[in-house]
mmCIF file of all heavy atoms in Angstrom:
data_model
loop_
_atom_site.group_PDB
_atom_site.id
_atom_site.type_symbol
_atom_site.label_atom_id
_atom_site.label_comp_id
_atom_site.label_asym_id
_atom_site.label_seq_id
_atom_site.Cartn_x
_atom_site.Cartn_y
_atom_site.Cartn_z
ATOM 1 N N LEU A 184 -12.516 -12.063 -11.942
ATOM 2 C CA LEU A 184 -11.527 -11.024 -12.340
ATOM 3 C C LEU A 184 -10.672 -10.663 -11.166
ATOM 4 O O LEU A 184 -10.262 -9.480 -11.086
ATOM 5 C CB LEU A 184 -12.232 -9.797 -12.992
ATOM 6 C CG LEU A 184 -13.157 -10.051 -14.184
ATOM 7 C CD1 LEU A 184 -13.769 -8.770 -14.617
ATOM 8 C CD2 LEU A 184 -12.370 -10.743 -15.275
ATOM 9 N N GLY A 185 -10.387 -11.523 -10.272
ATOM 10 C CA GLY A 185 -9.593 -11.281 -9.085
ATOM 11 C C GLY A 185 -8.243 -10.666 -9.416
ATOM 12 O O GLY A 185 -7.510 -11.206 -10.289
ATOM 13 N N GLY A 186 -7.871 -9.626 -8.709
ATOM 14 C CA GLY A 186 -6.575 -9.018 -8.873
ATOM 15 C C GLY A 186 -6.406 -8.062 -10.038
ATOM 16 O O GLY A 186 -5.381 -7.452 -10.223
ATOM 17 N N MET A 187 -7.448 -8.008 -10.877
ATOM 18 C CA MET A 187 -7.400 -7.105 -12.035
ATOM 19 C C MET A 187 -7.704 -5.657 -11.658
ATOM 20 O O MET A 187 -8.206 -5.424 -10.564
ATOM 21 C CB MET A 187 -8.295 -7.629 -13.136
ATOM 22 C CG MET A 187 -7.845 -8.909 -13.758
ATOM 23 S SD MET A 187 -8.735 -9.295 -15.284
ATOM 24 C CE MET A 187 -7.890 -10.727 -15.821
ATOM 25 N N TRP A 188 -7.464 -4.743 -12.593
ATOM 26 C CA TRP A 188 -7.774 -3.342 -12.378
ATOM 27 C C TRP A 188 -9.026 -2.904 -13.073
ATOM 28 O O TRP A 188 -9.409 -3.532 -14.131
ATOM 29 C CB TRP A 188 -6.566 -2.470 -12.860
ATOM 30 C CG TRP A 188 -5.338 -2.695 -12.044
ATOM 31 C CD1 TRP A 188 -4.419 -3.644 -12.236
ATOM 32 C CD2 TRP A 188 -4.924 -1.961 -10.955
ATOM 33 N NE1 TRP A 188 -3.410 -3.569 -11.237
ATOM 34 C CE2 TRP A 188 -3.723 -2.510 -10.494
ATOM 35 C CE3 TRP A 188 -5.430 -0.814 -10.307
ATOM 36 C CZ2 TRP A 188 -3.014 -2.009 -9.380
ATOM 37 C CZ3 TRP A 188 -4.736 -0.303 -9.214
ATOM 38 C CH2 TRP A 188 -3.544 -0.895 -8.772
ATOM 39 N N GLU A 189 -9.697 -1.964 -12.522
ATOM 40 C CA GLU A 189 -10.970 -1.510 -13.084
ATOM 41 C C GLU A 189 -11.153 -0.002 -12.749
ATOM 42 O O GLU A 189 -10.448 0.540 -11.893
ATOM 43 C CB GLU A 189 -12.146 -2.292 -12.501
ATOM 44 C CG GLU A 189 -12.312 -2.145 -10.975
ATOM 45 C CD GLU A 189 -13.375 -2.986 -10.407
ATOM 46 O OE1 GLU A 189 -13.941 -3.794 -11.160
ATOM 47 O OE2 GLU A 189 -13.624 -2.910 -9.200
ATOM 48 N N PHE A 190 -12.116 0.622 -13.407
ATOM 49 C CA PHE A 190 -12.506 1.969 -13.078
ATOM 50 C C PHE A 190 -13.463 1.817 -11.854
ATOM 51 O O PHE A 190 -14.313 0.930 -11.783
ATOM 52 C CB PHE A 190 -13.207 2.660 -14.237
ATOM 53 C CG PHE A 190 -12.281 2.852 -15.383
ATOM 54 C CD1 PHE A 190 -12.174 1.882 -16.405
ATOM 55 C CD2 PHE A 190 -11.560 4.010 -15.531
ATOM 56 C CE1 PHE A 190 -11.281 2.086 -17.489
ATOM 57 C CE2 PHE A 190 -10.665 4.229 -16.529
ATOM 58 C CZ PHE A 190 -10.539 3.259 -17.545
ATOM 59 N N PRO A 191 -13.319 2.758 -10.852
ATOM 60 C CA PRO A 191 -14.224 2.699 -9.698
ATOM 61 C C PRO A 191 -15.653 2.538 -10.140
ATOM 62 O O PRO A 191 -16.102 3.282 -10.987
ATOM 63 C CB PRO A 191 -13.909 3.957 -8.955
ATOM 64 C CG PRO A 191 -12.509 4.306 -9.374
ATOM 65 C CD PRO A 191 -12.398 3.903 -10.820
ATOM 66 N N ASN A 192 -16.337 1.640 -9.551
ATOM 67 C CA ASN A 192 -17.781 1.441 -9.980
ATOM 68 C C ASN A 192 -18.605 1.009 -8.823
ATOM 69 O O ASN A 192 -18.149 0.551 -7.813
ATOM 70 C CB ASN A 192 -17.840 0.406 -11.137
ATOM 71 C CG ASN A 192 -17.353 -0.969 -10.636
ATOM 72 O OD1 ASN A 192 -18.150 -1.736 -10.158
ATOM 73 N ND2 ASN A 192 -16.048 -1.306 -10.755
ATOM 74 N N VAL A 193 -19.943 1.122 -9.071
ATOM 75 C CA VAL A 193 -20.904 0.683 -8.112
ATOM 76 C C VAL A 193 -22.066 -0.092 -8.786
ATOM 77 O O VAL A 193 -22.340 0.242 -9.915
ATOM 78 C CB VAL A 193 -21.451 1.848 -7.271
ATOM 79 C CG1 VAL A 193 -20.388 2.551 -6.462
ATOM 80 C CG2 VAL A 193 -22.108 2.871 -8.238
ATOM 81 N N ALA A 194 -22.636 -0.974 -8.085
ATOM 82 C CA ALA A 194 -23.743 -1.758 -8.630
ATOM 83 C C ALA A 194 -24.989 -0.872 -8.521
ATOM 84 O O ALA A 194 -25.194 -0.134 -7.549
ATOM 85 C CB ALA A 194 -23.940 -3.062 -7.872
ATOM 86 N N LEU A 195 -25.892 -0.983 -9.476
ATOM 87 C CA LEU A 195 -27.149 -0.321 -9.473
ATOM 88 C C LEU A 195 -28.248 -1.310 -9.721
ATOM 89 O O LEU A 195 -27.995 -2.421 -10.150
ATOM 90 C CB LEU A 195 -27.198 0.787 -10.569
ATOM 91 C CG LEU A 195 -26.078 1.867 -10.567
ATOM 92 C CD1 LEU A 195 -26.141 2.660 -11.830
ATOM 93 C CD2 LEU A 195 -26.245 2.761 -9.347
ATOM 94 N N ASP A 196 -29.505 -0.942 -9.347
ATOM 95 C CA ASP A 196 -30.583 -1.799 -9.715
ATOM 96 C C ASP A 196 -30.882 -1.642 -11.191
ATOM 97 O O ASP A 196 -30.482 -0.641 -11.863
ATOM 98 C CB ASP A 196 -31.860 -1.422 -8.888
ATOM 99 C CG ASP A 196 -32.289 -0.057 -9.098
ATOM 100 O OD1 ASP A 196 -32.860 0.262 -10.170
ATOM 101 O OD2 ASP A 196 -32.084 0.803 -8.176
ATOM 102 N N VAL A 197 -31.573 -2.608 -11.804
ATOM 103 C CA VAL A 197 -31.779 -2.627 -13.277
ATOM 104 C C VAL A 197 -32.510 -1.386 -13.675
ATOM 105 O O VAL A 197 -32.226 -0.881 -14.780
ATOM 106 C CB VAL A 197 -32.555 -3.909 -13.649
ATOM 107 C CG1 VAL A 197 -32.930 -3.884 -15.126
ATOM 108 C CG2 VAL A 197 -31.802 -5.157 -13.386
ATOM 109 N N ALA A 198 -33.389 -0.850 -12.867
ATOM 110 C CA ALA A 198 -34.134 0.343 -13.274
ATOM 111 C C ALA A 198 -33.183 1.531 -13.461
ATOM 112 O O ALA A 198 -33.523 2.529 -14.096
ATOM 113 C CB ALA A 198 -35.211 0.668 -12.235
ATOM 114 N N SER A 199 -31.966 1.518 -12.876
ATOM 115 C CA SER A 199 -31.089 2.669 -12.895
ATOM 116 C C SER A 199 -30.384 2.695 -14.232
ATOM 117 O O SER A 199 -29.423 3.487 -14.409
ATOM 118 C CB SER A 199 -30.079 2.545 -11.740
ATOM 119 O OG SER A 199 -30.709 2.741 -10.527
ATOM 120 N N THR A 200 -30.764 1.965 -15.231
ATOM 121 C CA THR A 200 -30.162 2.120 -16.583
ATOM 122 C C THR A 200 -30.546 3.494 -17.117
ATOM 123 O O THR A 200 -29.939 4.041 -18.047
ATOM 124 C CB THR A 200 -30.601 0.993 -17.518
ATOM 125 O OG1 THR A 200 -32.043 0.921 -17.501
ATOM 126 C CG2 THR A 200 -29.980 -0.311 -17.090
ATOM 127 N N ARG A 201 -31.591 4.117 -16.569
ATOM 128 C CA ARG A 201 -31.923 5.469 -17.010
ATOM 129 C C ARG A 201 -30.839 6.437 -16.576
ATOM 130 O O ARG A 201 -30.242 6.339 -15.470
ATOM 131 C CB ARG A 201 -33.248 5.916 -16.410
ATOM 132 C CG ARG A 201 -34.452 5.145 -16.965
ATOM 133 C CD ARG A 201 -35.734 5.705 -16.430
ATOM 134 N NE ARG A 201 -36.891 4.993 -17.053
ATOM 135 C CZ ARG A 201 -38.175 5.336 -16.803
ATOM 136 N NH1 ARG A 201 -38.395 6.352 -15.912
ATOM 137 N NH2 ARG A 201 -39.158 4.664 -17.342
ATOM 138 N N LEU A 202 -30.451 7.363 -17.490
ATOM 139 C CA LEU A 202 -29.311 8.213 -17.244
ATOM 140 C C LEU A 202 -29.302 8.961 -15.988
ATOM 141 O O LEU A 202 -28.396 8.918 -15.190
ATOM 142 C CB LEU A 202 -29.199 9.153 -18.455
ATOM 143 C CG LEU A 202 -28.036 10.136 -18.371
ATOM 144 C CD1 LEU A 202 -26.735 9.449 -18.371
ATOM 145 C CD2 LEU A 202 -28.136 11.071 -19.587
ATOM 146 N N ARG A 203 -30.379 9.647 -15.678
ATOM 147 C CA ARG A 203 -30.448 10.532 -14.491
ATOM 148 C C ARG A 203 -30.362 9.717 -13.211
ATOM 149 O O ARG A 203 -29.611 10.088 -12.296
ATOM 150 C CB ARG A 203 -31.743 11.358 -14.495
ATOM 151 C CG ARG A 203 -31.922 12.192 -13.258
ATOM 152 C CD ARG A 203 -30.748 13.076 -12.862
ATOM 153 N NE ARG A 203 -30.305 13.907 -13.912
ATOM 154 C CZ ARG A 203 -29.199 14.605 -13.840
ATOM 155 N NH1 ARG A 203 -28.429 14.558 -12.813
ATOM 156 N NH2 ARG A 203 -28.876 15.386 -14.876
ATOM 157 N N ARG A 204 -30.979 8.569 -13.124
ATOM 158 C CA ARG A 204 -30.914 7.762 -11.918
ATOM 159 C C ARG A 204 -29.541 7.198 -11.752
ATOM 160 O O ARG A 204 -29.013 7.054 -10.608
ATOM 161 C CB ARG A 204 -31.939 6.647 -11.983
ATOM 162 C CG ARG A 204 -33.374 7.128 -12.005
ATOM 163 C CD ARG A 204 -34.315 5.984 -11.845
ATOM 164 N NE ARG A 204 -34.283 5.361 -10.559
ATOM 165 C CZ ARG A 204 -35.044 4.362 -10.194
ATOM 166 N NH1 ARG A 204 -36.011 4.005 -10.972
ATOM 167 N NH2 ARG A 204 -34.932 3.829 -8.951
ATOM 168 N N SER A 205 -28.815 6.849 -12.838
ATOM 169 C CA SER A 205 -27.471 6.405 -12.734
ATOM 170 C C SER A 205 -26.583 7.446 -12.190
ATOM 171 O O SER A 205 -25.706 7.220 -11.327
ATOM 172 C CB SER A 205 -26.964 5.929 -14.097
ATOM 173 O OG SER A 205 -27.741 4.838 -14.578
ATOM 174 N N MET A 206 -26.698 8.680 -12.687
ATOM 175 C CA MET A 206 -25.859 9.758 -12.286
ATOM 176 C C MET A 206 -26.018 10.152 -10.771
ATOM 177 O O MET A 206 -25.122 10.383 -10.062
ATOM 178 C CB MET A 206 -26.043 10.991 -13.175
ATOM 179 C CG MET A 206 -25.633 10.755 -14.585
ATOM 180 S SD MET A 206 -26.041 12.170 -15.686
ATOM 181 C CE MET A 206 -24.931 13.430 -15.019
ATOM 182 N N ASP A 207 -27.314 10.082 -10.408
ATOM 183 C CA ASP A 207 -27.662 10.468 -9.011
ATOM 184 C C ASP A 207 -27.159 9.500 -8.030
ATOM 185 O O ASP A 207 -26.732 9.833 -6.914
ATOM 186 C CB ASP A 207 -29.198 10.576 -8.857
ATOM 187 C CG ASP A 207 -29.744 11.826 -9.635
ATOM 188 O OD1 ASP A 207 -28.977 12.694 -9.978
ATOM 189 O OD2 ASP A 207 -30.967 11.818 -9.874
ATOM 190 N N GLY A 208 -27.122 8.221 -8.422
ATOM 191 C CA GLY A 208 -26.653 7.172 -7.478
ATOM 192 C C GLY A 208 -25.153 6.949 -7.469
ATOM 193 O O GLY A 208 -24.650 6.328 -6.540
ATOM 194 N N LEU A 209 -24.440 7.461 -8.433
ATOM 195 C CA LEU A 209 -23.029 7.158 -8.582
ATOM 196 C C LEU A 209 -22.170 7.831 -7.485
ATOM 197 O O LEU A 209 -21.373 7.141 -6.845
ATOM 198 C CB LEU A 209 -22.546 7.521 -9.955
ATOM 199 C CG LEU A 209 -21.099 7.349 -10.259
ATOM 200 C CD1 LEU A 209 -20.683 5.872 -10.076
ATOM 201 C CD2 LEU A 209 -20.757 7.781 -11.680
ATOM 202 N N SER A 210 -22.336 9.155 -7.344
ATOM 203 C CA SER A 210 -21.421 9.878 -6.446
ATOM 204 C C SER A 210 -21.468 9.414 -5.039
ATOM 205 O O SER A 210 -20.460 9.104 -4.422
ATOM 206 C CB SER A 210 -21.702 11.390 -6.589
ATOM 207 O OG SER A 210 -20.824 12.136 -5.758
ATOM 208 N N PRO A 211 -22.645 9.344 -4.353
ATOM 209 C CA PRO A 211 -22.686 8.920 -2.996
ATOM 210 C C PRO A 211 -22.240 7.447 -2.807
ATOM 211 O O PRO A 211 -21.595 7.103 -1.772
ATOM 212 C CB PRO A 211 -24.137 9.112 -2.575
ATOM 213 C CG PRO A 211 -24.930 9.138 -3.855
ATOM 214 C CD PRO A 211 -23.987 9.750 -4.821
ATOM 215 N N ALA A 212 -22.527 6.567 -3.791
ATOM 216 C CA ALA A 212 -22.142 5.184 -3.620
ATOM 217 C C ALA A 212 -20.587 5.065 -3.734
ATOM 218 O O ALA A 212 -20.013 4.284 -3.009
ATOM 219 C CB ALA A 212 -22.776 4.333 -4.724
ATOM 220 N N LEU A 213 -19.986 5.826 -4.656
ATOM 221 C CA LEU A 213 -18.514 5.743 -4.755
ATOM 222 C C LEU A 213 -17.830 6.322 -3.464
ATOM 223 O O LEU A 213 -16.796 5.871 -3.024
ATOM 224 C CB LEU A 213 -18.063 6.547 -5.964
ATOM 225 C CG LEU A 213 -18.308 5.902 -7.285
ATOM 226 C CD1 LEU A 213 -18.030 6.847 -8.447
ATOM 227 C CD2 LEU A 213 -17.445 4.665 -7.481
ATOM 228 N N GLU A 214 -18.438 7.349 -2.887
ATOM 229 C CA GLU A 214 -17.875 7.947 -1.674
ATOM 230 C C GLU A 214 -17.898 6.861 -0.563
ATOM 231 O O GLU A 214 -16.968 6.728 0.206
ATOM 232 C CB GLU A 214 -18.629 9.174 -1.287
ATOM 233 C CG GLU A 214 -18.016 9.885 -0.083
ATOM 234 C CD GLU A 214 -18.688 11.226 0.235
ATOM 235 O OE1 GLU A 214 -19.736 11.522 -0.413
ATOM 236 O OE2 GLU A 214 -18.149 11.968 1.097
ATOM 237 N N HIS A 215 -18.973 6.134 -0.523
ATOM 238 C CA HIS A 215 -19.141 5.104 0.507
ATOM 239 C C HIS A 215 -18.198 3.944 0.266
ATOM 240 O O HIS A 215 -17.535 3.418 1.180
ATOM 241 C CB HIS A 215 -20.559 4.555 0.608
ATOM 242 C CG HIS A 215 -20.775 3.481 1.502
ATOM 243 N ND1 HIS A 215 -20.840 3.605 2.871
ATOM 244 C CD2 HIS A 215 -20.903 2.120 1.305
ATOM 245 C CE1 HIS A 215 -21.004 2.436 3.413
ATOM 246 N NE2 HIS A 215 -21.065 1.523 2.515
ATOM 247 N N GLY A 216 -18.051 3.507 -0.998
ATOM 248 C CA GLY A 216 -17.263 2.326 -1.333
ATOM 249 C C GLY A 216 -15.798 2.535 -1.484
ATOM 250 O O GLY A 216 -14.967 1.645 -1.225
ATOM 251 N N TYR A 217 -15.410 3.813 -1.913
ATOM 252 C CA TYR A 217 -13.974 4.005 -2.196
ATOM 253 C C TYR A 217 -13.416 5.194 -1.438
ATOM 254 O O TYR A 217 -12.168 5.449 -1.473
ATOM 255 C CB TYR A 217 -13.747 4.281 -3.697
ATOM 256 C CG TYR A 217 -14.075 3.121 -4.627
ATOM 257 C CD1 TYR A 217 -15.347 2.910 -5.127
ATOM 258 C CD2 TYR A 217 -13.092 2.262 -5.012
ATOM 259 C CE1 TYR A 217 -15.649 1.861 -5.935
ATOM 260 C CE2 TYR A 217 -13.348 1.180 -5.882
ATOM 261 C CZ TYR A 217 -14.649 1.016 -6.303
ATOM 262 O OH TYR A 217 -14.928 -0.066 -7.177
ATOM 263 N N GLY A 218 -14.213 5.905 -0.747
ATOM 264 C CA GLY A 218 -13.702 7.078 -0.026
ATOM 265 C C GLY A 218 -13.414 8.260 -0.923
ATOM 266 O O GLY A 218 -12.519 9.073 -0.630
ATOM 267 N N ILE A 219 -14.039 8.326 -2.142
ATOM 268 C CA ILE A 219 -13.795 9.384 -3.046
ATOM 269 C C ILE A 219 -15.099 10.134 -3.325
ATOM 270 O O ILE A 219 -16.119 9.539 -3.474
ATOM 271 C CB ILE A 219 -13.194 8.872 -4.396
ATOM 272 C CG1 ILE A 219 -14.104 7.815 -4.985
ATOM 273 C CG2 ILE A 219 -11.754 8.407 -4.177
ATOM 274 C CD1 ILE A 219 -13.608 7.336 -6.362
ATOM 275 N N LYS A 220 -14.968 11.484 -3.306
ATOM 276 C CA LYS A 220 -16.172 12.311 -3.547
ATOM 277 C C LYS A 220 -15.993 12.960 -4.963
ATOM 278 O O LYS A 220 -14.979 13.560 -5.208
ATOM 279 C CB LYS A 220 -16.339 13.396 -2.514
ATOM 280 C CG LYS A 220 -17.586 14.207 -2.641
ATOM 281 C CD LYS A 220 -17.761 15.166 -1.493
ATOM 282 C CE LYS A 220 -19.041 15.944 -1.657
ATOM 283 N NZ LYS A 220 -20.279 15.103 -1.664
ATOM 284 N N LEU A 221 -16.976 12.706 -5.809
ATOM 285 C CA LEU A 221 -16.873 13.141 -7.180
ATOM 286 C C LEU A 221 -18.015 14.031 -7.606
ATOM 287 O O LEU A 221 -19.025 14.067 -7.021
ATOM 288 C CB LEU A 221 -16.905 11.877 -8.119
ATOM 289 C CG LEU A 221 -15.879 10.833 -7.870
ATOM 290 C CD1 LEU A 221 -16.140 9.634 -8.762
ATOM 291 C CD2 LEU A 221 -14.472 11.321 -8.065
ATOM 292 N N ARG A 222 -17.767 14.787 -8.656
ATOM 293 C CA ARG A 222 -18.789 15.479 -9.357
ATOM 294 C C ARG A 222 -19.013 14.831 -10.725
ATOM 295 O O ARG A 222 -18.067 14.756 -11.527
ATOM 296 C CB ARG A 222 -18.423 16.953 -9.593
ATOM 297 C CG ARG A 222 -19.484 17.734 -10.314
ATOM 298 C CD ARG A 222 -19.033 19.172 -10.622
ATOM 299 N NE ARG A 222 -18.742 19.902 -9.367
ATOM 300 C CZ ARG A 222 -17.549 20.205 -8.916
ATOM 301 N NH1 ARG A 222 -16.458 19.834 -9.675
ATOM 302 N NH2 ARG A 222 -17.345 20.846 -7.847
ATOM 303 N N VAL A 223 -20.173 14.271 -10.910
ATOM 304 C CA VAL A 223 -20.484 13.524 -12.185
ATOM 305 C C VAL A 223 -20.790 14.545 -13.275
ATOM 306 O O VAL A 223 -21.599 15.435 -13.102
ATOM 307 C CB VAL A 223 -21.663 12.551 -11.970
ATOM 308 C CG1 VAL A 223 -21.916 11.808 -13.270
ATOM 309 C CG2 VAL A 223 -21.387 11.610 -10.855
ATOM 310 N N ARG A 224 -20.136 14.371 -14.411
ATOM 311 C CA ARG A 224 -20.348 15.348 -15.490
ATOM 312 C C ARG A 224 -21.086 14.726 -16.644
ATOM 313 O O ARG A 224 -22.332 14.923 -16.759
ATOM 314 C CB ARG A 224 -19.019 15.849 -16.001
ATOM 315 C CG ARG A 224 -18.243 16.773 -15.010
ATOM 316 C CD ARG A 224 -17.116 17.496 -15.641
ATOM 317 N NE ARG A 224 -15.980 16.668 -15.990
ATOM 318 C CZ ARG A 224 -15.621 16.232 -17.229
ATOM 319 N NH1 ARG A 224 -16.310 16.663 -18.241
ATOM 320 N NH2 ARG A 224 -14.569 15.465 -17.403
ATOM 321 N N ASP A 225 -20.474 13.977 -17.519
ATOM 322 C CA ASP A 225 -21.125 13.482 -18.739
ATOM 323 C C ASP A 225 -21.018 11.978 -18.848
ATOM 324 O O ASP A 225 -20.082 11.362 -18.307
ATOM 325 C CB ASP A 225 -20.478 14.068 -19.990
ATOM 326 C CG ASP A 225 -20.471 15.638 -19.935
ATOM 327 O OD1 ASP A 225 -21.552 16.210 -19.695
ATOM 328 O OD2 ASP A 225 -19.401 16.212 -20.096
#
């Protein structure tokens, strides 16, 4: 999908399909990968 647009995202381990683990890992990973600091809501 080279050159296409996407919503900022990060890879997680398979165990992170659980909601809470996904939310906890999203914000710091996005800050590291994109330079954006977020508050995860829903």
Side-chain angles (χ1 to χ4, degrees):
L184 304 178
M187 291 190 176
W188 293 84
E189 64 184 3
F190 294 90
N192 66 87
V193 294
L195 303 170
D196 59 74
V197 175
S199 293
T200 52
R201 291 186 177 182
L202 178 61
R203 175 49 56 187
R204 295 188 66 176
S205 298
M206 294 176 67
D207 291 344
L209 178 58
S210 183
L213 286 172
E214 185 173 8
H215 175 76
Y217 294 88
I219 54 178
K220 186 174 180 60
L221 305 174
R222 179 184 299 107
V223 182
R224 292 193 288 108
D225 306 307

